[in-house]
Amino acid sequence: MTASSIGQSVPRKEDVRFITGKGRYTDDINLRGQAYACFVRSPVAHATIKQVNTAAAGNSPGVIAVLTGADLAKDGLGTLPCGWMVLSKDGSAMKQPPHPIMAADKVNYMGEPIAIVVADTYAAARNAAELVDVEFDELPAVVELAKARESDPIYPDIPHNTCYEWELGDRSATLAAIKAAAHVTRIKIRNNRLIPNAIEPRAAIADYNPGTEELTLYTTSQNPHVVRLILTAFIQIAPEHKLRIVAPDVGGGFGSKIFVYSEETACAWAAKRLGMPIKWTAERSESFMADAHGRDHITEAALAMDADGHFLGLHVKTRANMGAYLSTFASSVPTYLYGTLLAGQYKTPNIYVEVDSCFTNTAPVDAYRGAGRPEATYVLERIVEMAARELHIDPAELRRKNLIQPADFPYQTPVALTYDIGDYEASLNKALAMADYQGFAARKTEAATRGMLRGIGLSCYIEACGLAPSQVAGALGAGVGLWESGEVRVNPTGTVTVLTGSHSHGQGHETTFAQLVAGKLGIPVDAVEVIHGDTGKLDFGMGTYGSRSLAVGGSALSRAADKVITKGKRIAAHLMDGKVEDVDFDDGSFRLRNSNQAKTFQEVAFAAYVPHNYPLDELEPGLAEKAFYDPANFTYPAGTHICEVEIDPDTGVTRIVKFTAVDDFGNVINPMIVEGQVHGGVAQGIGQALLENCVYDEFGQLQTGSYMDYCMPRADDLPNFDVGMTITPCTHNPIGAKGCGEAGAIGSPPAVINAITHALGIADLSMPATPEKVWQAIRGAK
Amino acid sequence: MYDFKYHRPMNLTAAKALFSASEDALYLAGGHTLLPSMKQRLRAPSDLIDLAGISELNRIDVDATAVTIGALTTHDEVAKSSAVSARIKALSFLAANIGDVQVRNRGTIGGSLANNDPAADYPAGVLGLGAIVITDVREIAADDFFKGMFETGLHAGELITAVRFPVPDAAAYVKFPNPASRYATVGVFVARFGKTVRVAITGAAASVFRAPAMEAALAGKFAASALDGISIDDADLNDDMHASAAYRAHLCVVMAKRAVQELG
């Protein structure tokens, strides 16, 4: 008997190796005869390249080769593509400047790679990189997003530095609703630019075998098959069947390791060209400069209400920063992952959103934990909070008044999505109770006796996870499908090897997926091993991002496990001399109904591989099944976050004294892992709200290029989190799961800013709410 | 990091000899500023002379009127020394709040002072307590030691061997850390010796400085309220993306008041 562990906080199988230094990350891989790469990067934000002189570098001790953008062009390699076509209001295609693997004629952001130096040691490569003499003709840099449209074009054929002018929703109905409304709340807000900061920097080691013509790239990727597809189809590095991408243990991604970057691509190319393994591991300062950044929006919004506070219309106008080039999925983030979320949890009948995406001389911007959904939630939950204050309605009550109710599902929003299920008021009520919302006034009074300003802020968020279905995504411009594959391989002794196209880079899939499959098959969790991250081992997979792994990847595994059970029943029926329709499978046993006969899962597995007594005329031997799962819809996790702060008016320091997160992630396999995801996400959200900010100066020089200046949240910046759950199972996937990876980063920032502005009695304060900004606000209010 | 020659002399004489024999040598104490700048290729000494082997530089001596700390004593050793905390608790507290555990295990008082980072903590303690910086050739009063941003009164090749702190009647250090680096955005060290009060402020300007108006007010009445109405001129204060000069000026007063309040 094996009690299912589904719903149990099983300790993470992978943690033993992670916390004892036995993980195998890309930088841990060393190959015989490997050489080391160092990139020559642009020190300026915008310039034409007059000349690249590599002679001195080439003669530097230990140097094997110095390769430039011109060499890439000679080899006929393609440019780095963007995988999502977005159309402008007028139907025209987005503008996509060529994104070279290494710049040859012009550099467009500080840190852009210009040449790769390959040498016997990293030190030799780095010494030589300094000797590469690049002559620049500097151009004025377009840095400020607010002025991007009005600045001289970075690319002559892209007027107004504008990638696209996108819209969604009913413009005239929304504007009419705003015009006729009893009350309109307006905001102008900024969603600050962030740098992802995975603990493991990006790395690559590429290996080419001229005998087999196979090229293997070990790299820090969240989605190795997508990397292979892009390197093959768009860049022509190698044919797909000769290219293997391995993403071994990966130390965090947060979206930044979805994308196909210059450096990894250049290593793969150089390994093939030079015929030796080439290794590159980013230094932290390279990560700051050249990982895709996140967020960076400026938004004006207007929310129309009737006299009672019922929402009538929402108009959102956003300018989004794309950086210098379109990173792999950049175009989709401020559009289909942003505009579609603006209904939130509310029955707003008319919504119209327009987004201008602009190029600037800054690092490319792409998906970062939440990707568009934190930006949407920030706009909506800030404006709703402000509306409540303007109307003198309790913010919780204004939200409650407008919530979509359980009876309304499936609910079609005015911005394209159909929510399948939820109970938003249940999460709100539970969060209010856990946060002791009623007791706030007394706590504020008590804090005042200590000279502290206390505030409380809410955020009722929704997100759309597991981007789907493929046909809809394709119709909206996606260049890839958005299904997932999974395989359940039963070994002859009854242990199970699970292969998934999802990729774990800290999320604990090796445990969650093992629990899922073990639970389905009635075997111990330890009898299941999860394999991921290697195109040489798996069928095609789409990888991990957008909180999709359990809802999409897990569903594929669930289907594959069902197929195993179906086949197992046929084998068991034969072994027990019964009819297949009389065989039940439960808790690891195949039982013949109305008899005392049963076969264990192990016995059936053994029979499948040692088919001495087996229906070979009707059934193939072996017990391994695959499934490809393409979801019918997004999943829609939702919840309420409540933040309570105390502010020291003398210094402006904000301390979060209580943070409550109540989330509905649908069915939960491992509550501990889910809570951990919430903790991490909320920490990142608090980081955005209070601490983190990417700053470029007017010349496009990155000012926050190290931890001396870029402030990551640390344990002592954070409170204990009070995490609760409500559950409405997803209606359209076999697990009933919705996804939990991004919710914390999506829901928390507006809760924090709502609490701070509440404490200070001011309308707005831009993120990050640093002590000085808070102090200035207090001083300004006096 | 560029290549360099590494030396580990066992006494001061040998260290000095190596220094004068080298083309472009630097002394290495804890290395917490020097090594990162070398890794970033901002500094490229021909020779590094590691002082860690010189045992005479690592000591803590106390008597009734002074605490003398050898230049190579780590922040952690100072923080954990009961001899120090029994006499100048504020100095233990200051050392215990420099950087993080790893920094405190390697960083040294002599290295910190010779570097004179504008946001370092020790300069506030040394200037606030009116300590004497002892070198291999002379003694330098704190008031003459700190000259400007990363500038001290040390001559080329002159080595700090110890710092002698007079024991005050009362002292406190309060800092407002930069949220990212945890260096002092503003750190204020207040010390009272009988009727005399010294106030030293780090982090706010190019180098640590004394606040005479605060000292005079506190000498008149040693209470936080004595600082009401006193302001620090922000004209010469640091102004950067982390804190404006006006905010730093404000924090100087707030931190000074808190330091005095701590002394009840």
Side-chain angles (χ1 to χ4, degrees):
Chain A
M1 291 289 284
T2 313
S4 165
S5 72
I6 290 176
Q8 305 295 313
S9 290
V10 173
R12 299 189 351 152
K13 289 160 69 105
E14 47 270 77
D15 281 349
V16 171
R17 77 173 189 275
F18 289 157
I19 64 180
T20 57
K22 303 297 180 197
R24 187 168 181 260
Y25 297 87
T26 300
D27 189 59
D28 294 323
I29 297 169
N30 291 294
L31 303 175
R32 182 186 294 270
Q34 71 191 16
Y36 296 81
C38 178
F39 287 89
V40 177
R41 296 178 182 279
S42 175
V44 296
H46 196 199
T48 50
I49 297 174
K50 290 173 73 178
Q51 203 182 331
V52 181
N53 189 341
T54 62
N59 291 327
S60 185
V63 170
I64 295 160
V66 183
L67 302 173
T68 65
D71 296 314
L72 275 166
K74 273 182 234 155
D75 278 8
L77 259 66
T79 54
L80 299 169
C82 176
W84 199 301
M85 171 53 70
V86 171
L87 303 182
S88 278
K89 292 170 186 170
D90 63 5
S92 63
M94 70 182 186
K95 306 287 193 299
Q96 193 173 355
H99 186 178
I101 297 164
M102 295 191 289
D105 310 318
K106 188 166 176 270
V107 287
N108 292 305
Y109 70 95
M110 174 196 163
E112 183 173 358
I114 295 170
I116 178 174
V117 178
V118 179
D120 292 338
T121 65
Y122 180 68
R126 193 161 171 196
N127 284 339
E130 286 180 4
L131 300 174
V132 173
D133 181 22
V134 187
E135 215 180 307
F136 295 105
D137 229 349
E138 275 199 66
L139 298 164
V142 180
V143 180
E144 237 185 285
L145 178 58
K147 293 182 186 163
R149 278 175 67 91
E150 296 73 30
S151 301
D152 288 341
I154 299 169
Y155 306 99
D157 53 344
I158 302 182
H160 308 301
N161 292 310
T162 298
C163 179
Y164 52 74
E165 296 171 356
W166 177 84
E167 66 177 351
L168 182 66
D170 188 331
R171 178 187 169 89
S172 58
T174 303
L175 296 186
I178 290 171
K179 202 171 176 188
H183 186 84
V184 179
T185 296
R186 293 177 194 277
I187 55 169
K188 182 170 184 187
I189 54 174
R190 173 107 201 197
N191 202 289
N192 46 324
R193 183 178 180 118
L194 303 176
I195 301 177
N197 283 296
I199 198 163
E200 179 205 24
R202 284 192 288 125
I205 178 163
D207 185 21
Y208 182 67
N209 182 332
T212 61
E213 297 182 331
E214 283 173 321
L215 178 61
T216 303
L217 175 65
Y218 302 87
T219 187
T220 47
S221 175
Q222 299 179 210
N223 43 349
H225 282 92
V226 175
V227 172
R228 189 182 69 174
L229 178 62
I230 290 175
L231 290 183
T232 288
F234 293 92
I235 302 175
Q236 285 96 32
I237 286 273
E240 200 166 11
H241 62 296
K242 295 288 191 185
L243 182 60
R244 178 178 167 204
I245 311 291
V246 183
D249 285 333
V250 174
F254 312 111
S256 72
K257 291 172 181 167
I258 297 171
F259 321 122
V260 175
Y261 287 95
S262 295
E263 295 87 351
E264 295 87 330
T265 306
C267 286
W269 164 67
K272 190 172 173 183
R273 186 177 156 124
L274 301 173
M276 63 183 65
I278 292 178
K279 181 170 187 172
W280 168 76
T281 302
E283 297 193 13
R284 184 57 66 178
S285 51
E286 294 183 280
S287 307
F288 275 103
M289 279 190 285
D291 284 4
H293 294 173
R295 318 280 192 259
D296 208 351
H297 285 194
I298 299 170
T299 293
E300 287 180 58
L303 176 65
M305 286 154 282
D306 68 16
D308 296 328
H310 294 107
F311 302 161
L312 303 175
L314 175 69
H315 180 199
V316 175
K317 187 160 175 48
T318 291
R319 185 177 288 193
N321 199 342
M322 296 282 97
Y325 300 104
L326 285 181
S327 172
T328 314
F329 290 106
S331 54
S332 65
V333 175
T335 51
Y336 294 106
L337 296 177
Y338 169 72
T340 51
L341 271 296
L342 286 166
Q345 301 186 355
Y346 310 114
K347 288 191 277 193
T348 312
N350 301 292
I351 300 175
Y352 175 65
V353 50
E354 25 188 356
V355 179
D356 296 344
S357 280
C358 294
F359 295 107
T360 58
N361 293 116
T362 62
V365 179
D366 206 327
Y368 169 64
R369 201 172 194 168
R373 291 152 290 170
E375 296 91 314
T377 303
Y378 191 65
V379 171
L380 194 56
E381 289 306 293
R382 287 289 298 117
I383 201 167
V384 167
E385 189 84 13
M386 278 174 66
R389 291 177 197 166
E390 288 176 5
L391 293 174
H392 303 291
I393 299 176
D394 181 280
E397 290 317 303
L398 182 66
R399 287 177 168 91
R400 189 190 304 280
K401 194 186 281 260
N402 287 284
L403 288 178
I404 298 161
Q405 294 298 320
D408 298 328
F409 293 103
Y411 178 81
Q412 174 63 51
T413 74
V415 276
L417 299 179
T418 307
Y419 300 165
D420 63 334
I421 194 169
D423 187 346
Y424 308 137
E425 196 162 4
S427 317
L428 174 63
N429 288 339
K430 185 164 180 177
L432 291 172
M434 282 172 62
D436 185 21
Y437 190 69
Q438 293 303 322
F440 173 76
R443 296 194 293 278
K444 186 177 177 72
T445 305
E446 185 280 328
T449 66
R450 291 180 281 113
M452 303 300 270
L453 307 171
R454 196 154 171 135
I456 194 165
L458 275 71
S459 164
C460 295
Y461 75 92
I462 190 161
E463 59 166 322
C465 298
L467 187 51
S470 290
Q471 286 181 353
V472 173
L476 297 178
V480 290
L482 287 157
W483 44 268
E484 194 50 88
S485 73
E487 181 174 352
V488 174
R489 281 185 197 162
V490 183
N491 302 310
T493 56
T495 65
V496 170
T497 304
V498 164
L499 297 98
T500 173
S502 298
H503 185 275
S504 185
H505 30 282
Q507 294 91 339
H509 295 171
E510 291 169 40
T511 304
T512 303
F513 289 178
Q515 282 180 262
L516 174 68
V517 172
K520 299 263 320 178
L521 302 181
I523 58 176
V525 175
D526 284 342
V528 182
E529 194 67 20
V530 176
I531 292 175
H532 61 91
D534 185 344
T535 65
K537 291 181 180 167
L538 317 166
D539 283 325
F540 204 91
M542 293 308 301
T544 286
Y545 38 82
S547 308
R548 71 195 301 271
S549 295
L550 183 61
V552 189
S555 292
L557 288 174
S558 177
R559 291 259 176 98
D562 285 339
K563 291 184 189 177
V564 165
I565 293 166
T566 301
K567 184 171 180 182
K569 282 181 179 174
R570 294 178 67 184
I571 300 168
H574 175 87
L575 292 175
M576 295 185 286
D577 228 358
K579 290 181 179 164
V580 67
E581 53 269 30
D582 291 335
V583 177
D584 295 319
F585 180 70
D586 182 43
D587 201 18
S589 286
F590 295 91
R591 295 171 200 283
L592 188 62
R593 222 171 292 141
N594 304 319
S595 84
N596 60 0
Q597 287 198 79
K599 291 288 173 190
T600 65
F601 182 75
Q602 290 77 13
E603 286 172 314
V604 168
F606 191 78
Y609 289 94
V610 187
H612 298 164
N613 174 19
Y614 196 85
L616 282 168
D617 47 344
E618 55 184 80
L619 211 54
E620 293 171 5
L623 192 55
E625 297 287 351
K626 290 176 182 177
F628 286 68
Y629 177 76
D630 200 318
N633 191 356
F634 285 89
T635 61
Y636 298 97
T640 295
H641 289 188
I642 301 179
C643 179
E644 196 163 327
V645 299
E646 273 192 13
I647 293 169
D648 175 351
D650 287 340
T651 59
V653 169
T654 299
R655 193 167 62 91
I656 295 177
V657 290
K658 195 167 168 59
F659 196 99
T660 308
V662 174
D663 303 288
D664 177 357
F665 298 132
N667 290 333
V668 169
I669 306 286
N670 186 319
M672 177 194 71
I673 287 178
V674 168
E675 268 198 44
Q677 288 291 316
V678 173
H679 287 196
V682 171
Q684 274 175 295
I686 290 173
Q688 169 164 33
L690 293 182
L691 305 166
E692 295 184 50
N693 199 32
C694 171
V695 179
Y696 284 93
D697 72 8
E698 59 186 306
F699 306 106
Q701 291 289 315
L702 181 64
Q703 300 295 289
T704 49
S706 80
Y707 293 124
M708 292 291 282
D709 296 309
Y710 188 88
C711 189
M712 292 292 286
R714 289 174 236 195
D716 63 355
D717 293 315
L718 304 168
N720 284 321
F721 303 121
D722 297 322
V723 177
M725 283 179 206
T726 56
I727 292 176
T728 58
C730 171
T731 60
H732 57 77
N733 69 43
I735 304 173
K738 298 180 181 177
C740 66
E742 296 162 295
I746 292 169
S748 57
V752 176
I753 298 299
N754 287 341
I756 292 172
T757 52
H758 182 239
L760 300 179
I762 58 173
D764 189 34
L765 194 71
S766 68
M767 297 192 290
T770 60
E772 173 158 12
K773 274 192 211 164
V774 171
W775 174 73
Q776 296 282 14
I778 293 169
R779 208 164 64 142
K782 271 181 188 165
Chain B
M1 195 179 278
Y2 296 106
D3 290 349
F4 57 89
K5 290 196 201 90
Y6 174 82
H7 310 275
R8 191 182 167 96
M10 299 312 282
N11 60 60
L12 264 182
T13 315
K16 301 277 291 184
L18 280 165
F19 189 90
S20 29
S22 306
E23 182 190 340
D24 187 16
L26 286 173
Y27 289 117
L28 174 68
H32 269 63
T33 300
L34 178 55
L35 296 182
S37 11
M38 287 172 64
K39 282 184 184 173
Q40 291 181 302
R41 302 186 161 221
L42 299 171
R43 303 199 75 167
S46 62
D47 296 72
L48 265 194
I49 302 165
D50 187 350
L51 304 175
I54 307 174
S55 54
E56 62 191 280
L57 297 180
N58 190 343
R59 64 187 177 109
I60 295 177
D61 296 324
V62 295
D63 60 31
T65 59
V67 172
T68 304
I69 299 174
L72 266 281
T73 312
T74 64
H75 309 326
D76 186 64
E77 287 164 339
V78 174
K80 289 183 178 154
S81 161
S82 53
V84 175
S85 69
R87 286 160 184 83
I88 318 178
K89 203 164 182 194
L91 196 59
S92 309
F93 176 82
L94 178 151
N97 286 279
I98 298 172
D100 54 24
V101 156
Q102 291 86 343
V103 168
R104 292 192 291 274
N105 280 336
R106 294 293 304 171
T108 67
I109 185 168
S112 172
L113 294 176
N115 187 49
N116 193 22
D117 188 301
D121 295 296
Y122 262 132
V126 169
L127 188 63
L129 287 164
I132 303 291
V133 179
I134 303 166
T135 77
D136 55 332
V137 291
R138 57 183 172 145
E139 297 195 345
I140 309 173
D143 286 315
D144 300 323
F145 183 82
F146 302 102
K147 297 290 191 191
M149 188 181 287
F150 298 108
E151 259 185 65
T152 67
L154 292 171
H155 300 135
E158 187 176 3
L159 260 179
I160 299 173
T161 55
V163 185
R164 190 167 67 241
F165 294 93
V167 176
D169 296 319
Y173 178 63
V174 177
K175 85 165 151 179
F176 187 89
N178 174 320
S181 69
R182 305 280 171 105
Y183 270 91
T185 299
V186 167
V188 179
F189 200 102
V190 175
R192 185 171 63 76
F193 297 85
K195 295 268 183 218
T196 308
V197 177
R198 291 176 67 99
V199 178
I201 301 177
T202 190
S207 177
V208 64
F209 63 93
R210 286 174 65 184
M214 288 187 183
E215 292 178 351
L218 291 171
K221 180 190 171 198
F222 196 76
S225 60
L227 298 175
D228 286 345
I230 288 183
S231 60
I232 297 285
D233 183 4
D234 65 14
D236 294 325
L237 298 192
N238 299 335
D239 190 290
D240 55 39
M241 67 176 158
H242 297 296
S244 67
Y247 183 50
R248 280 192 165 91
H250 169 76
L251 288 176
C252 288
V253 179
V254 174
M255 295 301 120
K257 284 185 176 178
R258 289 185 181 181
V260 174
Q261 271 162 0
E262 269 191 22
L263 301 173

